[in-house]
Amino acid sequence: MSVAINAFLKALIVVPVTVLPILNPIAIAPIFLSMTGPIDPALSNRLAKRIAVNCFFLLLGAVFIGSYVLDFFGISIPIVRVAGGIVVGMAGWKLLNDQSQDKLLNSVAATHGGHWSRDELRRRSFYPFSFPLTVGPGTIAASVTLGTQMPHQPVDFLVISIASAIGVLLTSIVVYLCYRFARNLEKLLGEVGATVLMRLSAFILLCIGIAIGWAGISDLFSELIAQ
């Protein structure tokens, strides 16, 4: 029982710890503000909920279906782990050393600023807010990589799946809270606080990427030796 609980807690923590640094909703929150403009707080709250729901299903699909899609194209799990580990590690390294905002986020913010009607906000709750502003290619790649870590035993698969789903839910809730209280968060953390939090999360992300990649390399060597 203790082994199952430990596995559950580990899977529960790994998903937010891996995905949130790439999502980086704290850093995107100011861009979210500039894109929405001075809209009504109730309308901003509904928009944040829509974005969080969209992100939940995007991440859930990437975690549970992404690996099967890759398997359909004949890409083995160890290769996915190595490639995904490289992507996650590079994302962590970039966040750890990058001194500027992402160019894509800046371009989206510059293109879609100002005052929007409610209908326009509903249409854009998915694009560009949910994708690619929040859940981008790097996040999807990391989520697919996490999905490859699922065990094959039915009981273990069920436990890890439930934990991963809850982890995705927690991640989506963090996205909602960051967007919902973006103005308060911006005042509370300040530029220095947001930078420190991002660097710490980036270092953890780099370590997770190396661990995932090493697991894939170990599997490839095991397959090579077995031949």
Side-chain angles (χ1 to χ4, degrees):
M1 182 64 67
S2 60
V3 176
I5 294 176
N6 290 334
F8 179 88
L9 293 177
K10 181 180 178 181
L12 180 65
I13 295 173
V14 164
V15 173
V17 168
T18 302
V19 176
L20 279 176
I22 306 178
L23 285 173
N24 202 9
I26 295 177
I28 301 177
I31 299 175
F32 171 79
L33 291 177
S34 65
M35 291 176 65
T36 56
I39 62 175
D40 181 71
L43 184 59
S44 178
N45 185 21
R46 288 195 294 271
L47 178 60
K49 288 180 180 178
R50 285 177 175 268
I51 294 172
V53 171
N54 291 337
C55 292
F56 173 78
F57 286 109
L58 283 172
L59 295 175
L60 203 65
V63 170
F64 289 99
I65 303 176
S67 60
Y68 295 101
V69 174
L70 293 175
D71 186 60
F72 175 78
F73 290 99
I75 302 175
S76 66
I77 298 301
I79 292 177
V80 172
R81 288 177 179 173
V82 173
I86 293 173
V87 171
V88 173
M90 288 181 62
W93 180 260
K94 180 181 178 182
L95 289 172
L96 195 62
N97 294 276
D98 193 17
Q99 302 297 323
S100 60
Q101 291 289 343
D102 185 81
K103 293 181 180 179
L104 172 63
L105 300 183
N106 281 337
S107 64
V108 172
T111 305
H112 301 90
H115 308 274
W116 292 357
S117 65
R118 294 190 177 187
D119 291 337
E120 190 173 7
L121 286 174
R122 290 193 189 99
R123 289 195 303 269
R124 296 194 181 278
S125 64
F126 181 82
Y127 179 85
F129 282 112
S130 299
F131 180 86
L133 187 63
T134 306
V135 179
T139 305
I140 293 176
S143 301
V144 171
T145 304
L146 289 175
T148 65
Q149 310 292 320
M150 293 288 183
H152 298 288
Q153 292 78 7
V155 176
D156 294 338
F157 179 82
L158 179 62
V159 172
I160 301 302
S161 296
I162 294 174
S164 299
I166 296 175
V168 170
L169 177 61
L170 293 176
T171 302
S172 303
I173 291 174
V174 172
V175 171
Y176 166 72
L177 293 176
C178 288
Y179 287 176
R180 173 66 179 85
F181 301 101
R183 299 187 189 279
N184 306 76
L185 190 64
E186 190 177 33
K187 295 178 182 179
L188 177 64
L189 287 177
E191 185 177 353
V192 176
T195 301
V196 170
L197 182 61
M198 185 186 71
R199 302 302 184 198
L200 180 60
S201 300
F203 178 73
I204 297 175
L205 181 65
L206 176 61
C207 296
I208 290 175
I210 294 175
I212 293 173
W214 180 253
I217 293 173
S218 300
D219 291 340
L220 289 176
F221 273 112
S222 300
E223 292 180 1
L224 183 62
I225 294 173
Q227 292 179 353

